[in-house]
Amino acid sequence: MTVVLLATACAVVYGTADFFGGLAAKRSRVLAVVLVSQIAGLLFVLPLLPLLPGVPGLDTIAWGMAAGLSGGLAVIMFYQALAGGVMSVVAPTTATMSAALPVLVGLTMGERPEPLALCGVALALAAVVLVSRDSGSAAGRATLGPILRSLVAGLGFGGFFILLKQVPESAGVWPLLGARTASVVVVAALALTTGRSLRPGRGALPAIIATGVLDMAANVLYLLAVQRGLLILVAVLVSLYPASTLLLARYVLGERLNAVQAAGVGLALGAVALIAAA
């Protein structure tokens, strides 16, 4: 039950971080939002190192840096896919891949959840697709390039989940220090090579900082959950994060959920209940 609570809380926090990130992206360039938020997350995790003590071994930092590279590249590919594609295709493709890859790897690693939990996994995968849909866009306008980028982004996010699973429980949150350092370097290098501005837009800084802090808090929750539970279950529950983003948009910004998205939120709740009951 503790693992389910940690993973579900992680999904809620990830979704909240995305909500603030979406607000910030309306006022700033994407790379500025990503880099400043990543730096904020890095500063947030530093005080946690003595509070959640661990052994900062070379392998621990290496796994974390590999995860950070995977996640950093995934963020870049995801935004590129959104820039050139249709949200109703890009979002569910990315989210589904980021959930499905850890499931396949977990099964390969020998993880065998209870049948009831597997039903919850199947329900969660369906929920990820539904909550990410935007019925107001025409999927037929999607082109091959954005679809390929969204697939790569999903692989990158899934890789982030998988690589952090390799870290021993005794590592504490040191892997996240390596992960965030690597992702900051990747995004900064991309900005420098492309000559993009890294200055946040007027009034966007609070939302950007909130994005970074919440994202790192979610990373901590994910690491604690995956160190104690199966990769299959934790990664799938975490991938339900779009549901909390939708609910925040509904109640804070007054945006309406379409019928498909509302059904996805319902399926997400059902999936959490099934996995918790297993």
Side-chain angles (χ1 to χ4, degrees):
M1 179 61 72
T2 300
V3 172
V4 174
L5 290 175
L6 285 171
T8 304
C10 176
V12 172
V13 179
Y14 267 140
T16 306
D18 277 1
F19 174 77
F20 280 103
L23 294 179
K26 293 180 180 180
R27 302 178 179 178
S28 296
R29 293 183 180 273
V30 168
L31 283 181
V33 173
V34 174
L35 181 61
V36 176
S37 66
Q38 297 278 297
I39 294 174
L42 179 62
L43 295 177
F44 175 76
V45 78
L46 290 175
L48 297 181
L49 295 175
L51 297 178
L52 298 171
V55 181
L58 181 60
D59 58 337
T60 294
I61 300 298
W63 281 117
M65 293 187 73
L69 288 173
S70 181
L73 292 173
V75 170
I76 295 169
M77 294 300 292
F78 180 63
Y79 280 115
Q80 287 181 343
L82 288 177
V86 179
M87 172 66 79
S88 62
V89 175
V90 171
T93 301
T94 301
T96 304
M97 183 61 69
S98 68
L101 182 62
V103 170
L104 295 176
V105 172
L107 291 173
T108 302
M109 292 168 57
E111 294 186 355
R112 296 296 182 268
E114 296 294 327
L116 190 60
L118 283 176
C119 291
V121 168
L123 201 63
L125 290 174
V128 168
V129 176
L130 295 181
V131 298
S132 302
R133 296 294 294 181
D134 177 5
S135 60
S137 298
R141 296 200 305 268
T143 57
L144 181 60
I147 292 176
L148 290 177
R149 290 188 183 93
S150 63
L151 287 171
V152 173
L155 289 173
F157 289 131
F160 177 83
F161 294 148
I162 294 165
L163 289 166
L164 283 185
K165 174 63 176 176
Q166 314 310 311
V167 177
E169 187 174 348
S170 60
V173 295
W174 281 96
L176 296 180
L177 178 64
R180 191 44 51 94
T181 301
S183 62
V184 165
V185 171
V186 168
V187 178
L190 178 65
L192 290 174
T193 55
T194 58
R196 302 291 179 85
S197 172
L198 295 177
R199 183 186 297 274
R202 180 175 298 180
L205 190 58
I208 295 175
I209 293 174
T211 299
V213 170
L214 289 168
D215 181 68
M216 179 54 73
N219 288 341
V220 172
L221 290 170
Y222 172 77
L223 188 60
L224 293 175
V226 83
Q227 287 174 343
R228 293 163 173 78
L230 298 179
L231 172 66
I232 293 175
L233 302 183
V234 173
V236 166
L237 287 175
V238 169
S239 295
L240 294 172
Y241 66 87
S244 60
T245 307
L246 285 175
L247 292 175
L248 281 171
R250 168 68 180 86
Y251 290 105
V252 176
L253 301 180
E255 296 181 2
R256 293 185 178 183
L257 301 182
N258 60 50
V260 174
Q261 292 171 327
V265 172
L267 286 182
L269 295 175
V272 172
L274 284 176
I275 293 174

